[in-house]
Amino acid sequence: MSFTSGDSRWADVYVVAGTRAVSVCGDFLAATTLALVLQQAGHGGLAVSGLLVAASLPLALLAPIAGRIADRADSRVVLIAAGLAQSLICLALAFVSRPVAIIALVGLLSCGLAITQPTLSALIPRMVRPDDLAKASGLTQTAGVIGALVAPALAGILVGQTGSRLPLLLDAASYLALVVAGFAVRTRRRPAPAAESAPAPAFRVRDDRVLTVMIGSLAVTIAGANAINVFDVFFIRDTLHASTTLYGFVSASWAVGMLIGSIGFGRFPRRLITVPTLLALVAGSCAPILAGAAVSGAGWLIPLWVLGGICNGGINVFVMVIVAGRAPAESHGRAFAALSAVVQTAALLGLTVAGPLVEHFDPRLLVAAAGATGLLTCLLAMPVVRRESAHCDVSHPRVHPQAERPLVGIASES
């Protein structure tokens, strides 16, 4: 673990948070726009599912390479080069219409995202003192949620009023935020001179049992959550007979909860941010889903989804703090890339399984099963984590004493 030895560099955190808000908004703006383009052109579900796969698969497949790039390359060079490349790719997207070309370009965009995500995540622990990491994580997560909330509505308005080209051009411009961040952020991870470097301690996520159990539990929950993204339209509209307006409010309520949770849990004392606490939040995000399966009217889902979203916002904050704390600093890029790979794989699995299931089972039963599966997973994972906690503090790594030295192989610009 390595954090800044002086005062936290909040200016850098705010730049990264702003970059995250702009880039997430751009990502969702492009995804919504392209889905509308394919639907309006008469292309079926296969094209839309291909778009979703192209946007997610590189994040899972490129994790080992992306993690090494984040740990071994100059973070400023990575952000500037990736931002320029993604901006050019999105510029090309604004002028193509064939589904195959759209899907291929979206896949290339996702390759850039696979590299920039762990690079930015690994920078944040270098910007702040350990006690400030939860607050910094909360700020960046809040910015991302705001970007995700704004984008779909903005895409709908722009596509309806101007067509698809303008929102895609705006998305191309949004990737330039990464270039700005590359130049503006003073904190920098880069290879140290060969004479000063030493072999970094070996670290693999699967070697840390607590981290493995934590990420596995998250994967099950994420798979269920993405499946619910398919189930809920049938559950809310067909089973509960809600209007499209009420469906929109229910869909937005989870993101509103995430916004509240990111802000609130970002103020948590670091000593309380442990893996058991995280698992309790995961269970807390699943319980409202299970309860929601029993409601008689869609309006009841709004407070339940807000509660689930609050726990979800806390999960995002806690994951950043725990992974940064358990992994050696020189392996932060690989640790965050591995986490991203598991998340994306679980999300793809949830989306893949959901389609056939909703054709054969009652949506109410499927929503209940998704919530119950996540809840049961947390209950099974908790004893494993507690057994480990008898031997060490579960919020911190068990590493070889050699790994407790100052950051090796990475330099931080003052």
Side-chain angles (χ1 to χ4, degrees):
M1 307 176 284
S2 181
F3 298 82
T4 181
S5 57
D7 293 333
S8 296
R9 296 170 179 164
W10 289 111
D12 283 358
V13 175
Y14 293 137
V15 170
V16 170
T19 299
R20 181 171 172 80
V22 172
S23 61
V24 168
C25 182
D27 290 338
F28 276 82
L29 184 65
T32 306
T33 299
L34 292 171
L36 289 171
V37 166
L38 293 175
Q39 185 271 330
Q40 290 174 356
H43 301 293
L46 186 61
V48 175
S49 68
L51 182 72
L52 294 174
V53 170
S56 302
L57 194 58
L59 293 168
L61 295 181
L62 296 180
I65 298 172
R68 290 189 181 92
I69 291 173
D71 286 332
R72 298 178 182 177
D74 187 323
S75 58
R76 178 169 295 173
V77 174
V78 171
L79 293 176
I80 293 171
L84 289 173
Q86 288 178 291
S87 183
L88 291 173
I89 292 167
C90 203
L91 189 63
L93 264 173
F95 296 94
V96 299
S97 57
R98 297 181 63 182
V100 173
I102 290 173
I103 291 171
L105 288 171
V106 166
L108 287 175
L109 269 180
S110 185
C111 290
L113 187 61
I115 294 170
T116 57
Q117 273 190 346
T119 299
L120 282 172
S121 295
L123 272 175
I124 294 172
R126 296 288 291 157
M127 296 175 180
V128 296
R129 297 181 297 107
D131 290 342
D132 290 333
L133 183 55
K135 180 181 177 182
S137 177
L139 284 170
T140 57
Q141 296 297 335
T142 299
V145 173
I146 292 173
L149 279 171
V150 170
L154 184 61
I157 293 171
L158 290 176
V159 171
Q161 297 296 320
T162 68
S164 63
R165 184 161 295 170
L166 178 59
L168 290 172
L169 289 174
L170 289 175
D171 186 35
S174 75
Y175 284 109
L176 296 178
L178 289 170
V179 180
V180 173
F183 283 112
V185 170
R186 293 174 60 205
T187 307
R188 191 170 177 181
R189 299 177 86 236
R190 54 185 174 181
E196 300 176 11
S197 64
F203 176 82
R204 295 176 301 180
V205 170
R206 63 178 177 270
D207 293 335
D208 185 325
R209 192 177 182 191
V210 171
L211 208 53
T212 301
V213 171
M214 182 193 85
I215 293 176
S217 302
L218 287 173
V220 173
T221 308
I222 289 164
N226 276 268
I228 288 173
N229 288 336
V230 178
F231 302 154
D232 69 353
V233 65
F234 300 99
F235 177 53
I236 296 170
R237 294 281 287 130
D238 296 342
T239 304
L240 300 179
H241 309 292
S243 66
T244 54
T245 301
L246 185 53
Y247 170 72
F249 278 115
V250 173
S251 298
S253 59
W254 191 279
V256 170
M258 286 180 65
L259 186 62
I260 297 170
S262 297
I263 296 171
F265 285 103
R267 300 176 180 177
F268 247 52
R270 188 169 181 268
R271 67 180 184 278
L272 300 180
I273 301 178
T274 63
V275 179
T277 312
L278 173 67
L279 290 177
L281 284 177
V282 176
S285 70
C286 296
I289 295 172
L290 182 59
V295 302
S296 58
W300 290 104
L301 293 177
I302 293 176
L304 288 171
W305 264 218
V306 169
L307 287 174
I310 289 172
C311 291
N312 196 163
I315 291 167
N316 293 340
V317 173
F318 279 29
V319 165
M320 164 69 78
V321 176
I322 291 170
V323 172
R326 296 192 69 88
E330 47 272 78
S331 299
H332 276 168
R334 278 165 285 181
F336 285 116
L339 174 66
S340 178
V342 172
V343 167
Q344 294 302 324
T345 301
L348 279 173
L349 181 62
L351 290 172
T352 302
V353 171
L357 286 176
V358 83
E359 295 289 335
H360 296 93
F361 296 96
D362 178 22
R364 188 186 294 273
L365 177 63
L366 293 173
V367 171
T373 300
L375 202 55
L376 181 60
T377 300
C378 293
L379 292 176
L380 294 174
M382 191 66 77
V384 178
V385 170
R386 291 199 179 279
R387 280 199 300 272
E388 292 292 319
S389 68
H391 304 290
C392 67
D393 179 354
V394 293
S395 64
H396 295 86
R398 292 183 296 168
V399 295
H400 190 278
Q402 181 187 15
E404 294 296 332
R405 65 183 184 274
L407 188 62
V408 172
I410 302 291
S412 178
E413 188 174 88
S414 299

